[in-house]
Amino acid sequence: MNWLNSEAFTLLGQHIMWSDMIGNTIGLIALALGWLRSIWSWPVQLLSGVILFSAFVGHLTGSAGKQVVVIVVALWGWWQWNRGKDESRDGHISVRFATWRERAYMVGAAAVGTLAVSGLFHAYPTLSWDPWPDAYIFVGTIVAMYAQARGMVEFWFAWLLVDLVGVPLNFANGYAFSGFVYVVYGALVLSGMRDWWLRSRKAGQPVLEGAPA
């Protein structure tokens, strides 16, 4: 499997690695499947995490560690959606807005988590070349995947915030394809956000505590 970490081609002066390209392309497919509320989003996301782990391990230890967490959360999200699918009317996961309490928990967890992970990266510099942004993406990805697993519309907002830092960070670290894919992620996120938002209105669910009317 050494070919995965070899150069595929050069684009705009950036060296594109096979693992970077394949892993992120599969991740893009996983996000599109999430938009469609398909349970296949999770096993595809799991495969993306495994391939990207091979891309980052030995080079960007912090990013490789993030992929390990992504794999674990993907397994949990797969279980969550499989359970929710059985309870839905159309075989797809139902979506909703988070309550204000849930939002507060996620924002608080993101803030505390970013401080903690950044502290770890600063204490062990070999784990990350860019402690603060790497910690932000690490924790933001977990929060976004958690919200996705719970069928929360806020999942898309979390991904958008991750994208805003992920694009420049990946280009700066030489993972150009990751950077390009994050740009496409941004377009998908905006479309997915609109779709889930509208579905949450049409589902005929009672308005949740703190959910926008």
Side-chain angles (χ1 to χ4, degrees), residues 19-35 40-52 67 70 141 145 148 155-156 159 163 177-178 181-182 184-186 188-189:
S19 53
D20 186 25
M21 181 177 67
I22 295 173
N24 279 290
T25 299
I26 294 174
L28 197 59
I29 294 171
L31 187 63
L33 288 169
W35 175 9
W40 284 100
S41 173
W42 295 104
V44 173
Q45 199 157 222
L46 179 65
L47 177 60
S48 172
V50 170
I51 293 175
L52 287 174
Q67 297 308 320
V70 164
T141 297
M145 291 180 70
Q148 180 187 3
F155 147 62
W156 298 103
W159 264 126
D163 285 350
F177 199 83
S178 293
V181 168
Y182 266 108
V184 182
Y185 272 2
L188 264 180
V189 163

Side-chain angles (χ1 to χ4, degrees), residues 73-136:
V73 177
L75 288 169
W76 177 73
W78 193 354
W79 174 75
Q80 282 282 112
W81 274 34
N82 190 59
R83 186 177 63 173
K85 178 174 69 70
D86 294 338
E87 299 170 357
S88 68
R89 288 173 295 180
D90 61 358
H92 290 78
I93 191 73
S94 297
V95 298
R96 64 177 178 85
F97 280 98
T99 66
W100 282 109
R101 181 176 298 175
E102 287 172 326
R103 292 170 185 166
Y105 285 154
M106 287 189 287
V107 170
V112 173
T114 299
L115 287 172
V117 174
S118 176
L120 177 66
F121 287 165
H122 276 100
Y124 299 94
T126 55
L127 292 178
S128 173
W129 296 344
D130 301 285
W132 280 109
D134 209 8
Y136 172 88

